[in-house]
Amino acid sequence: MKRWIAVLCGLSLVSSLQAYDPDVDDEFKAKEKAEREVVLPAFPVMEKLIRLDVGPAEENRYFLDPDSISVDEDGEARYTLVTFSTQGVRNVSHEGMSCPDRQRRPYAFGRPDGSWSKARSPRWQKFYDIPGSRHFATIFLEHLCPDGIIVRSVEQVQKSLRSKAPRQ
């Protein structure tokens, strides 16, 4: 029995050594490093926010800060989202959205004093066009990644937001 355990452990060690690819590890580290170097924008100015039209069924009100939008050539766009609940609670987040993967991730959350708190767990997450996340689908489908392809410029996103904003 001990021999079998030793053989299995040896095989496990050999297969794990064969699976290691330093180039893949280096690429992962480089991508993680690049993602960590996100420069947070200035805190949003409430008067400049543009409201998102997410449909009549949504009770919360969602706004994007046009000055916070950035578009990367690698298929990621970043923006600041401001959410007001029906009770008047305000949430502010700076997020990224990946067009190729249809995923989003938080980078930071706004504090009441107008400063940022970096996200503790900034993992990529899939999102769907369902109640409760309709605002993410709206941002993705109508403004950042129409037809699944990232927009060409920040100005294109800002123009799209202004043209589709509901009357307040």
Side-chain angles (χ1 to χ4, degrees):
M1 182 70 154
K2 289 181 183 179
R3 260 192 199 162
W4 281 108
I5 292 173
V7 168
L8 289 175
C9 288
L11 288 174
S12 175
L13 178 63
V14 169
S15 66
S16 67
L17 290 174
Q18 291 173 343
Y20 177 73
D21 182 348
D23 293 333
V24 172
D25 191 45
D26 289 344
E27 288 175 28
F28 178 76
K29 286 178 184 174
K31 184 175 181 181
E32 284 293 309
K33 182 180 180 210
E35 288 176 350
R36 279 187 244 125
E37 293 175 358
V38 170
V39 176
L40 296 174
F43 208 75
V45 175
M46 295 300 137
E47 294 77 28
K48 290 185 173 184
L49 298 178
I50 301 173
R51 187 168 179 186
L52 288 173
D53 183 3
V54 295
E58 192 64 52
E59 292 182 9
N60 292 334
R61 292 178 299 137
Y62 301 95
F63 298 81
L64 285 185
D65 176 9
D67 297 336
S68 70
I69 298 167
S70 66
V71 179
D72 293 345
E73 57 280 343
D74 66 352
E76 183 181 351
R78 295 184 188 97
Y79 56 90
T80 297
L81 175 68
V82 180
T83 305
F84 290 94
S85 74
T86 55
Q87 293 80 24
V89 176
R90 179 186 75 175
N91 288 309
V92 180
S93 59
H94 188 66
E95 307 186 358
M97 195 167 276
S98 172
C99 290
D101 305 324
R102 193 178 178 139
Q103 295 183 346
R104 58 171 282 276
R105 70 181 276 177
Y107 284 103
F109 297 98
R111 294 184 180 126
D113 68 358
S115 64
W116 292 108
S117 173
K118 290 191 176 184
R120 291 183 185 150
S121 181
R123 293 187 189 114
W124 287 105
Q125 307 163 358
K126 279 273 194 208
F127 61 89
Y128 302 93
D129 190 356
I130 58 173
S133 65
R134 174 73 185 124
H135 55 291
F136 295 124
T138 299
I139 295 167
F140 181 88
L141 296 169
E142 295 182 21
H143 303 293
L144 299 180
C145 310
D147 300 320
I149 301 169
I150 194 164
V151 293
R152 294 187 185 137
S153 69
V154 170
E155 292 78 20
Q156 185 179 353
V157 179
Q158 293 169 337
K159 183 178 178 182
S160 172
L161 286 167
R162 288 186 178 99
S163 71
K164 295 176 183 177
R167 303 280 180 224
Q168 297 187 30

